[in-house]
């Protein structure tokens, strides 16, 4: 397992390289409908606060990822390639072989208390979703949030999961003592597109209800409108429908991002496209070529239109009642918002 580069502190001259997790992983399967066909590898990690490699183009330095692999099964997921570091494949294995760091909360508390820790912002949900379906069984996030709250350590969460509302009590307690922000990911609200490319996720409209509930309870929540899928969810009418529903949710901000096709995700996405929309394959190959990104002109056109629609429909303009409930809001954290059409990534 090649995870050694994600340790919080690198080995010193006299410190031999230590694997990220100890031996003795337990493999489990559950014969319940929601977990049928999935395998969970319960491991005891050696570190939980990950320092992001310097070459990564992200505006944050530290993350916590209690899971590897994701039961959301989003076909386009940019994190698929990271599963290959575990000697799994980036396709079906990513969807069904989930690594669970069962000692995540214990490690978070220990590392946040370390003299070496500088109280940096911690971003969660930036690789795989920390509120994916498995969290309902393992309940790792409650311990992690309690540790962050007790350390008064700032953090942000990005999720497609509705399970975050289970932890509303801890989020509000943490927000009383440190900077806490959240975002839900909703790239589109079209039910056919959702069922086709995000089969393990809650309905996008349920995610927007989560956004409304978080904001109503004083937890600033915006929407990462990602990914916008070329030729599938990028028409002006589709974009306006999505932005209108985001605005109605009371989102504090919106950040549109066009689909990225990095290695791992690219192969899995194009395979799906060839089966479901073969006529679009030549158009995708023309649009993306050998690059992971759509042409800049296309990205700017789409994201520019979204921003115009957001202004028109009042995204971020809270009602007076909402404003009374919400605390004074600083600028959105860089871990979740960017003016550039860049998707969050770690590796």
């Amino acid at each position: 397992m090649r995870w050694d580069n994600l340790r919080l502190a690198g080995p010193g001259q006299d410190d031999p390289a230590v694997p990220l997790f100890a031996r003795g992983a337990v493999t489990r399967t559950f014969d319940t409908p929601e977990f049928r066909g999935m395998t969970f590898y319960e491991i005891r990690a050696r570190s939980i606060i990950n320092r992001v490699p310097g070459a990564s183009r992200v505006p944050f330095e530290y993350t916590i990822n209690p899971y590897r692999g994701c039961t959301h099964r989003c076909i386009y997921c940019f994190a698929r390639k990271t599963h290959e570091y575990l000697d799994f494949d980036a396709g079906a294995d990513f969807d069904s072989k989930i690594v669970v760091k069962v000692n995540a909360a214990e490690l978070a508390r220990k590392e946040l208390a370390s003299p070496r820790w500088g109280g940096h912002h911690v971003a969660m949900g930036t690789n795989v979703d920390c509120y994916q379906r498995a969290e309902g069984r393992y309940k790792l996030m409650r311990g992690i949030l309690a540790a962050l709250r007790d350390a008064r350590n700032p953090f942000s969460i990005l999720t497609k999961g509705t399970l975050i509302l289970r932890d509303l009590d801890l989020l509000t307690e943490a927000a009383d003592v440190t900077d806490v922000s959240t975002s839900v990911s909703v790239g589109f609200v079209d039910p056919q597109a959702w069922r086709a490319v995000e089969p393990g996720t809650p309905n996008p409209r349920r995610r927007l209800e989560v956004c409304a509930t978080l904001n109503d309870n004083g937890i600033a929540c915006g929407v990462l409108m990602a990914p916008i899928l070329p030729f599938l969810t990028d028409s002006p009418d589709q974009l306006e429908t999505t932005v209108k529903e985001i605005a109605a949710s009371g989102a504090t901000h919106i950040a549109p991002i066009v689909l990225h096709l990095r290695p791992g995700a690219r192969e899995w996405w194009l395979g799906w496209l060839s089966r479901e929309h073969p006529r679009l394959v030549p158009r995708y190959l023309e649009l993306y070529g050998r690059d992971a990104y759509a042409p800049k002109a296309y990205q700017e056109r789409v994201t520019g239109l979204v921003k115009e629609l957001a202004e028109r429909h009042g995204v971020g303009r809270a009602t007076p009642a909402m404003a009374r409930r919400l605390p004074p809001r600083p600028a959105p954290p860089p871990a979740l918002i960017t003016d550039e059409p860049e998707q969050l990534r770690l590796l």
Side-chain angles (χ1 to χ4, degrees):
M1 303 290 189
R2 291 170 286 173
W3 287 5
D4 190 55
N5 66 310
L6 294 182
R7 290 181 298 126
L8 172 60
Q13 288 182 321
D14 300 323
D15 182 18
V18 179
L20 188 65
F21 56 82
R23 294 180 182 179
V26 175
T27 303
R28 296 190 191 275
T29 57
F30 303 107
D31 190 22
T32 54
E34 66 270 25
F35 295 126
R36 191 163 292 140
M38 297 179 185
T39 303
F40 296 89
Y41 299 86
E42 299 177 357
I43 61 93
R44 293 191 63 81
R46 294 190 182 275
S47 179
I48 197 62
I49 301 179
N50 310 318
R51 186 164 193 169
V52 180
S56 296
R57 294 157 56 187
V58 293
F60 51 86
E61 290 187 73
Y62 296 94
T63 66
I64 289 179
N65 297 299
Y67 303 97
R68 301 302 295 263
C70 189
T71 54
H72 283 341
R73 308 200 318 272
C74 299
I75 293 171
Y76 53 75
C77 183
F78 69 94
R80 288 184 173 276
K81 183 71 173 177
T82 65
H83 229 45
E84 295 180 1
Y85 306 154
L86 314 179
D87 297 324
F88 294 143
D89 70 50
D93 283 355
F94 180 84
D95 298 336
S96 62
K97 296 182 177 180
I98 312 300
V99 174
V100 183
K101 303 173 188 177
V102 293
N103 60 335
E106 170 192 336
L107 285 175
R109 189 167 293 276
K110 177 181 176 181
E111 292 174 16
L112 290 167
S114 170
R116 293 178 298 174
W117 177 245
H120 310 282
H121 176 96
V122 173
M124 292 177 284
T126 59
N127 190 33
V128 301
D129 202 319
C130 51
Y131 282 107
Q132 61 178 283
R133 192 179 303 165
E135 171 61 14
R137 175 172 288 271
Y138 287 100
K139 300 179 174 64
L140 301 180
M141 283 299 292
R142 286 198 65 81
I144 292 169
L145 292 176
L148 288 162
R149 175 203 62 196
D150 294 346
R152 298 175 176 254
N153 201 96
F155 64 89
S156 57
I157 299 173
L158 170 64
T159 185
K160 285 187 175 81
T162 56
L163 191 57
I164 188 174
L165 295 183
R166 178 202 66 189
D167 296 337
L168 186 57
D169 58 333
L170 290 169
L171 292 170
T172 54
E173 289 169 8
D176 286 339
V177 297
T178 190
D179 292 331
V180 175
S181 61
T182 59
S183 280
V184 295
S185 177
V186 177
F188 41 85
V189 294
D190 178 80
Q192 290 184 325
W194 161 59
R195 292 189 184 98
V197 303
E198 300 175 346
T201 65
N203 188 300
R205 291 183 170 90
R206 289 188 62 203
R207 296 177 229 162
L208 292 177
E209 291 173 4
V210 168
C211 179
T213 301
L214 288 169
N215 279 314
D216 284 348
N217 284 273
I219 306 298
C221 185
V223 172
L224 188 70
M225 188 173 164
I228 297 168
L229 306 174
F231 317 123
L232 290 170
T233 65
D234 65 341
S235 73
D237 287 346
Q238 289 171 309
L239 295 176
E240 181 158 26
T241 297
T242 301
V243 171
K244 284 175 68 175
E245 297 207 25
I246 291 172
S249 77
T252 59
H253 55 268
I254 185 171
I257 297 176
V258 173
L259 174 70
H260 293 171
L261 291 176
R262 301 192 188 93
R266 182 185 181 94
E267 294 82 359
W268 198 242
W269 174 261
L270 290 177
W272 173 83
L273 204 66
S274 68
R275 295 189 301 273
E276 302 297 328
H277 300 280
R279 63 182 181 81
L280 292 182
V281 172
R283 300 181 71 182
Y284 265 81
L285 294 177
E286 180 181 1
L287 186 66
Y288 285 88
R290 296 181 179 275
D291 200 349
Y293 301 90
K296 188 173 183 180
Y298 172 86
Q299 294 187 57
E300 290 178 343
R301 177 172 62 82
V302 171
T303 58
L305 177 56
V306 170
K307 291 176 181 179
E308 290 177 12
L309 291 167
E311 178 65 25
R312 183 187 311 167
H313 293 290
V315 173
R317 294 203 293 266
T319 64
M322 175 77 75
R324 285 195 298 272
R325 284 194 294 270
L326 290 175
R329 184 169 62 88
L336 296 178
I337 295 301
T338 174
D339 287 331
E340 296 299 323
E342 292 295 328
Q343 184 165 331
L344 302 175
R345 64 174 178 174
L346 288 181
L347 301 168

